[in-house]
Amino acid sequence: MTYQAPWAAEPAWLADSLAALRAAPQNEADRALAERYAPVILFDAREPFLPCAAGYTIFRATAPSSSFGRTIDLALPGGGSAALAIEYAIWWDWDIGHLYELEHFWVYVDADGRVVRAEASWHGDLHDMTVDGRLNIEGERVVLLSQPGKHAFAPLASWYDEIRLSTRPSSTNAKAGSGGVLINDLFRGRIQGSPRADTVVRTYLQHLAFDPSWEFTRRFTLAPEHFVTWEALRDWIPGRVNGWIEYLARETRHKDYRFLRIGHRGASGHAPDNTLTGLRVAAALGADAAEIDVQRTADGEVAVIHDAQLRAADGTILPVQRSTLEALQKVPLAEGERVPTLREMLQLASELRLGLYIEIKDGGCIRPMVEILRAERAVGRVMVGSFRPDWVAEARALEPGLRISVLFGSRRVDAVALAKAVGATYVHPCWDVSGPHPEDALSQEWVDRVRAAGLGVILWHEERPEYITYLRGLGVDGICSDEPERLRFS
């Protein structure tokens, strides 16, 4: 289905918003200093997004940054110190993966006005921009390259070789929009994220998916109007992001929503349930995420398995919660697979750029599950759900950053009340849908009521094209399927 952008021309509110930012008061001497040493940025020839503001801070003594988790130290690595450092928090409305983008550049200047050091951000970290003892510099401006779509800064194109040559699904194409709305600690509670916001952002960014040329021929220099103080930019950002969310939610049609394609138990129509092969197949078939089931073993491991017991070849029954992981893994599964651990699934999913939708099958695994998610830095990459509301509430209490789904099998359940009671952000109806009429399974009124409460809707596993098309028209956020390739063409 071809997605139609919600506007023919840039909406007026974007320009009005920038005008308000640029009207904020500044110290003209500091602004001139920021302009003087601002970087030259080289973008990919196909880059869809350019910066629209840069919040600067001048450091004349060592002090912590208020926009990045670090301290700005004027002492130079080789001895001596800089007279000042300028921090640039460079703002884009968009990263190809999410709304919004804030990257950083730091330039250090000595008492004679010469640039003596430069650093730049790289996927939440930072790197020195010196190569072989030298900066790539034109006059007083350091030259940076910007990663296509993602904007991490580098001094040389070769820094992107691992990304360019990777066989993983492309972050600028297949995975465009997968991050939805980015909300970090700076803006938590001020940006109005929601499942619907993630869905409309995903829809918009999928429309802008592209394959980089890896030719950095698009030269960009910040203009005088781009410079504002960091404090002004910080105060402006939430309104800008919320404006985008409100605009896209209002203008994007339900039938155009790019819902999450979720492979049920991996891709159970093509591969053994809850296996590493199932994850690989799900990714190959275009799934955004894979649903898996977790339980705790007798030795405290978190195993990925649906049933409460496993039958060995000799007929022996192994109850999952009373068996060790080693014992379970000795039982061969179909196609030479074995019972995997949650940690293994998380690591493979990261390699595949595949999300996970984790269904809790055993309350005893909740705490170790959360500990593993933290250790693997996967809290933001998964959704956790259960038919047991108390287990959902426990998971949310242990890790408030989790996206939570509550599953239920009765049409008589008040989905909104249930979700609110346990802190869920998504509801997942799992009632019988075997009838011939899709509208008997789920109505627009039901979905609209859930939406009005700020919740998202994930749905049962579905393989029938006519049902998938109907559900898309309702504006749901995700559909599970044993055959996730069917979700791509409805």
Side-chain angles (χ1 to χ4, degrees):
M1 179 179 293
T2 301
Y3 171 69
Q4 299 297 319
W7 59 84
E10 183 176 282
W13 73 268
L14 287 173
D16 293 342
S17 169
L18 280 175
L21 172 65
R22 292 166 179 171
Q26 302 183 59
N27 178 294
E28 283 305 310
D30 284 351
R31 192 209 60 77
L33 197 60
E35 183 181 354
R36 175 180 173 183
Y37 292 103
V40 173
I41 307 175
L42 303 181
F43 286 97
D44 186 270
R46 298 175 183 163
E47 172 64 49
F49 311 117
L50 296 176
C52 57
Y56 62 85
T57 304
I58 312 292
F59 292 84
R60 292 181 171 87
T62 296
S65 167
S66 60
S67 66
F68 195 95
R70 66 165 304 185
T71 293
I72 309 302
D73 190 343
L74 297 185
L76 299 174
S81 64
L84 60 87
I86 308 172
E87 176 180 82
Y88 299 84
I90 303 175
W91 170 265
W92 289 253
D93 281 346
W94 299 98
D95 169 301
I96 194 62
H98 51 74
L99 169 71
Y100 57 89
E101 176 77 306
L102 193 66
E103 295 288 348
H104 283 72
F105 171 70
W106 297 270
V107 62
Y108 298 77
V109 180
D110 69 12
D112 295 323
R114 295 174 300 188
V115 173
V116 290
R117 189 182 185 192
E119 300 166 312
S121 56
W122 177 275
H123 300 291
D125 201 349
L126 63 94
H127 291 287
D128 194 295
M129 291 293 103
T130 302
V131 177
D132 296 331
R134 302 183 65 178
L135 292 170
N136 183 5
I137 194 165
E138 296 179 359
E140 297 174 319
R141 297 179 184 270
V142 175
V143 179
L144 305 174
L145 279 67
S146 180
Q147 181 184 339
K150 301 297 295 178
H151 307 140
F153 290 133
L156 300 171
S158 60
W159 281 37
Y160 303 120
D161 281 353
E162 183 177 351
I163 298 166
R164 180 175 61 85
L165 300 173
S166 173
T167 58
R168 299 168 66 193
S170 169
S171 62
T172 64
N173 198 321
K175 296 301 177 180
S178 60
V181 180
L182 174 66
I183 304 177
N184 64 19
D185 291 340
L186 274 173
F187 306 113
R188 200 169 304 281
R190 299 180 65 199
I191 291 176
Q192 305 305 312
S194 70
R196 186 184 187 190
D198 288 339
T199 296
V200 296
V201 164
R202 184 187 316 115
T203 302
Y204 174 78
L205 287 172
Q206 282 276 311
H207 175 62
L208 295 173
F210 72 105
D211 292 317
S213 69
W214 298 105
E215 296 175 357
F216 294 90
T217 56
R218 196 170 182 187
R219 182 184 175 93
F220 178 86
T221 303
L222 292 160
E225 63 269 18
H226 288 122
F227 296 96
V228 297
T229 66
W230 161 245
E231 291 78 13
L233 182 62
R234 178 195 60 205
D235 293 345
W236 171 86
I237 285 171
R240 179 74 166 190
V241 175
N242 290 335
W244 267 113
I245 292 170
E246 292 166 7
Y247 183 74
L248 291 176
R250 184 174 66 250
E251 299 295 330
T252 308
R253 301 172 300 184
H254 285 174
K255 68 177 183 178
D256 290 328
Y257 279 5
R258 170 55 167 82
F259 59 76
L260 288 169
R261 303 162 181 159
I262 305 170
H264 185 232
R265 301 184 195 171
S268 58
H270 304 284
D273 289 2
N274 285 302
T275 61
L276 297 173
T277 292
L279 252 61
R280 293 188 183 96
V281 173
L285 294 176
D288 301 306
E291 185 264 351
I292 62 173
D293 306 285
V294 293
Q295 301 182 57
R296 185 179 61 171
T297 65
D299 51 343
E301 297 288 341
V302 179
V304 178
I305 183 170
H306 179 272
D307 295 341
Q309 57 193 28
L310 192 61
R311 183 185 293 271
D314 63 1
T316 303
I317 301 298
L318 285 77
V320 173
Q321 295 169 38
R322 298 203 301 272
S323 304
T324 65
L325 177 66
E326 182 181 8
L328 293 170
Q329 290 188 331
K330 286 181 178 178
V331 178
L333 306 179
E335 300 182 20
E337 287 288 334
R338 60 171 175 76
V339 173
T341 65
L342 175 60
R343 195 180 299 273
E344 289 174 316
M345 295 292 255
L346 287 167
Q347 291 171 353
L348 177 58
S350 177
E351 292 175 17
L352 297 171
R353 290 199 172 108
L354 189 72
L356 289 181
Y357 182 13
I358 303 171
E359 183 179 344
I360 304 168
K361 292 291 188 182
D362 161 29
C365 78
I366 298 173
R367 186 173 292 275
M369 175 194 72
V370 169
E371 291 172 354
I372 291 168
L373 293 176
R374 288 171 176 158
E376 295 294 325
R377 302 179 68 181
V379 169
R381 295 191 281 115
V382 305
M383 185 186 303
V384 173
S386 177
F387 279 96
R388 285 280 300 265
D390 54 333
W391 291 353
V392 167
E394 179 68 15
R396 183 59 178 263
L398 288 172
E399 178 47 71
L402 279 174
R403 290 183 295 167
I404 297 291
S405 172
V406 61
L407 289 73
F408 49 94
S410 172
R411 297 170 187 265
R412 299 183 184 276
V413 168
D414 183 333
V416 172
L418 178 63
K420 295 296 187 183
V422 298
T425 44
Y426 290 82
V427 299
H428 188 153
C430 298
W431 51 63
D432 177 66
V433 292
S434 57
H437 303 294
E439 62 273 14
D440 293 338
L442 197 70
S443 69
Q444 186 70 66
E445 290 75 19
W446 193 94
V447 173
D448 288 346
R449 179 171 180 269
V450 171
R451 279 267 185 241
L455 302 169
V457 181
I458 304 292
L459 293 174
W460 53 80
H461 71 87
E462 184 56 67
E463 287 72 50
R464 292 166 291 183
E466 67 275 17
Y467 267 61
I468 295 170
T469 298
Y470 172 74
L471 296 172
R472 175 196 286 276
L474 296 180
V476 301
D477 297 284
I479 303 176
C480 298
S481 181
D482 290 344
E483 301 172 0
E485 72 276 14
R486 292 183 179 271
L487 305 176
R488 298 176 61 186
F489 304 108
S490 59

